[in-house]
């Protein structure tokens, strides 16, 4: 499968390095608005083709899948360009800047019968199945509450403080905490409450979100672009608890009993970077003629985007292009 990378930045580089170690896919092309930047990227990562425009990239008949690695504000425009040219899309999270954009893209993908899926990599990882199996075994009893913390010192990254680029902690790191809660406790959120602090430019820099689910379970989620967090996800049950190391790229799961004794530890399988699983899911979906991946269905992408819209509404954050 020939994969093209749209956007020659850091995250695109991680994908290129991953593709170069995969047997089922290859880093075939890269596109940038800067021809020299694209050529330099292609040379560094062994892409066969480099393009100085996204239009040229999507016109290449040999491209099977386009990985979109541009800022959140650009995802809608770039994904739309791919779909209109019949190119399957793996779009980096957050999928779009808002739910309306997500709904439009997915409707267009259905109309054109083109695969599009969100690259929220934790959804595709085999470690997720291990976590679910352990919880389903009843080893910590009935899970009733979870906490998730994700923070990095990234407030110096200009795109993250720029409202015009859909900046803020929510769409960059908060999206992982929300997806973690959804993967563990499901989609039936009954009540949502939250608070945030703001950057000088008016986007959220830290936020705390509490979800109450229809079955009474609770999730308390914290994300920040000001401070380094432990990245832990902890699931609390009636007979014990489980600690997930790194909710942004599951490393391990340690189970404790009601006396706080360590019962078992499960480590993630060896991986290239973790990006390979979403690429493999796309390859399988394409082989089966599907336009969505079961790991992250369209309905779930839209639900999470709507949830984040409602949080921004509560915080009074509106992007200038909305």
């Amino acid at each position: 499968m020939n994969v093209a990378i749209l956007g020659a930045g850091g995250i695109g580089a991680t994908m290129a390095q991953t593709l170069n170690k995969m047997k089922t896919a290859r880093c075939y092309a890269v596109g940038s608005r800067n021809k020299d930047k694209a050529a330099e990227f292609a040379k560094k990562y062994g892409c066969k083709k480099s393009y100085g425009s996204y239009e040229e990239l999507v016109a290449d008949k040999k491209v099977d899948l386009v990985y979109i690695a541009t800022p959140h504000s650009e995802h809608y425009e770039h994904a739309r360009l791919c779909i209109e040219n019949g190119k399957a899309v793996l779009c980096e999270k957050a999928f779009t800047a808002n739910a309306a954009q997500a709904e439009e893209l997915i409707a267009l993908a259905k109309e054109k019968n083109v695969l599009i899926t969100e690259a929220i990599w934790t959804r595709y990882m085999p470690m997720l199945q291990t976590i679910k199996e352990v919880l389903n075994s009843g080893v910590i009893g009935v899970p009733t509450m979870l906490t998730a913390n994700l923070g990095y010192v990234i407030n110096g990254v200009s795109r993250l403080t720029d409202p015009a680029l859909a900046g803020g902690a929510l769409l960059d790191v908060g999206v992982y905490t929300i997806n973690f809660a959804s993967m563990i406790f499901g989609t039936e959120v009954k009540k949502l409450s939250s608070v945030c602090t703001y950057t000088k430019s008016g986007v959220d820099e830290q936020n705390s979100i509490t979800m109450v689910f229809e079955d009474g379970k609770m999730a308390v989620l914290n994300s920040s672009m000001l401070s380094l967090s432990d990245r832990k996800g902890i699931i609390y049950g009636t007979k014990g608890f489980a600690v997930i190391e790194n909710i942004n790229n599951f490393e391990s799961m340690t189970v404790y009993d009601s006396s706080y004794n360590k019962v078992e530890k499960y480590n993630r399988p060896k991986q290239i970077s973790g990006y390979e699983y979403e690429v493999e899911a796309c390859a399988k979906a394409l082989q089966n003629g599907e336009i969505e991946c079961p790991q992250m269905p369209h309905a779930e992408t839209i639900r999470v985007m709507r949830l984040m819209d409602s949080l921004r509404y509560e915080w009074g954050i509106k992007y200038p292009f909305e």
Side-chain angles (χ1 to χ4, degrees), residues 58-117:
V58 298
D60 188 328
K61 289 184 170 60
K62 290 185 178 174
V63 170
D64 299 312
L65 175 71
V66 178
Y67 170 65
I68 295 176
T70 50
H72 307 136
S73 54
E74 313 305 304
H75 290 178
Y76 170 77
E77 181 195 330
H78 296 154
R80 189 176 183 91
L81 178 69
C82 293
I83 295 165
E84 284 174 342
N85 284 270
K87 297 296 183 214
V89 179
L90 174 61
C91 185
E92 199 42 74
K93 61 81 212 157
F95 187 69
T96 47
N98 56 45
Q101 290 183 344
E103 286 161 9
E104 274 189 49
L105 283 181
I106 288 165
L108 184 65
K110 285 175 181 170
E111 183 192 316
K112 303 278 187 185
N113 197 33
V114 173
L115 171 78
I116 187 165
T117 194

Side-chain angles (χ1 to χ4, degrees), residues 45-221:
Y45 299 108
C47 307
K48 190 176 178 182
K49 300 273 187 178
S50 70
Y51 294 106
S53 80
Y54 301 141
E55 288 75 14
E56 288 176 273
L57 179 80
V58 298
D60 188 328
K61 289 184 170 60
K62 290 185 178 174
V63 170
D64 299 312
L65 175 71
V66 178
Y67 170 65
I68 295 176
T70 50
H72 307 136
S73 54
E74 313 305 304
H75 290 178
Y76 170 77
E77 181 195 330
H78 296 154
R80 189 176 183 91
L81 178 69
C82 293
I83 295 165
E84 284 174 342
N85 284 270
K87 297 296 183 214
V89 179
L90 174 61
C91 185
E92 199 42 74
K93 61 81 212 157
F95 187 69
T96 47
N98 56 45
Q101 290 183 344
E103 286 161 9
E104 274 189 49
L105 283 181
I106 288 165
L108 184 65
K110 285 175 181 170
E111 183 192 316
K112 303 278 187 185
N113 197 33
V114 173
L115 171 78
I116 187 165
T117 194
E118 185 176 4
I120 181 95
W121 62 334
T122 48
R123 290 266 183 175
Y124 302 84
M125 291 174 176
M127 188 64 185
L128 176 60
Q129 286 313 114
T130 303
I131 293 166
K132 286 182 174 181
E133 282 165 18
V134 171
L135 293 174
N136 289 339
S137 75
V139 68
I140 67 164
V142 179
T144 62
M145 191 176 193
L146 69 79
T147 57
N149 297 295
L150 193 61
Y152 300 99
V153 186
I154 48 177
N155 56 323
V157 179
S158 57
R159 74 169 177 87
L160 292 177
T161 55
D162 189 346
L165 295 178
L170 179 66
L171 264 61
D172 209 70
V173 288
V175 66
Y176 285 113
T177 64
I178 291 167
N179 272 277
F180 180 74
S182 302
M183 289 186 285
I184 304 302
F185 282 171
T187 62
E188 301 299 315
V189 178
K190 183 168 76 173
K191 191 178 178 187
L192 189 68
S193 55
S194 66
V195 287
C196 81
T197 59
Y198 304 87
T199 63
K200 285 176 184 173
S201 58
V203 295
D204 66 300
E205 61 182 1
Q206 299 195 99
N207 58 67
S208 183
I209 302 159
T210 300
M211 292 179 179
V212 179
F213 293 80
E214 289 288 354
D215 57 5
K217 292 184 171 80
M218 273 184 82
V220 181
L221 317 171

Side-chain angles (χ1 to χ4, degrees), residues 245-263:
E245 292 292 342
N246 194 359
I247 61 159
N248 193 15
N249 183 3
F250 307 127
E251 286 168 21
S252 66
M253 177 183 194
T254 308
V255 176
Y256 296 84
D257 65 16
S258 55
S259 300
Y260 303 94
N261 296 313
K262 184 172 155 183
V263 178

Side-chain angles (χ1 to χ4, degrees), residues 261-322:
N261 296 313
K262 184 172 155 183
V263 178
E264 191 67 72
K265 186 176 182 183
Y266 305 84
N267 293 307
R268 75 172 174 215
K270 194 179 175 186
Q271 61 183 31
I272 300 169
S273 67
Y275 282 31
E276 64 268 32
Y277 303 117
E278 59 195 17
V279 175
E280 285 164 3
C282 288
K284 193 173 179 183
L286 285 169
Q287 280 171 359
N288 295 338
E290 293 164 349
I291 63 164
E292 64 184 334
C293 290
Q295 293 90 340
M296 189 56 174
H298 291 161
E300 184 62 354
T301 285
I302 290 168
R303 189 189 69 84
V304 172
M305 288 309 311
R306 282 178 182 161
L307 204 147
M308 293 197 294
D309 280 2
S310 71
L311 290 165
R312 284 197 298 117
Y313 180 78
E314 196 176 314
W315 303 338
I317 296 172
K318 195 174 182 181
Y319 303 128
F321 52 82
E322 290 183 301

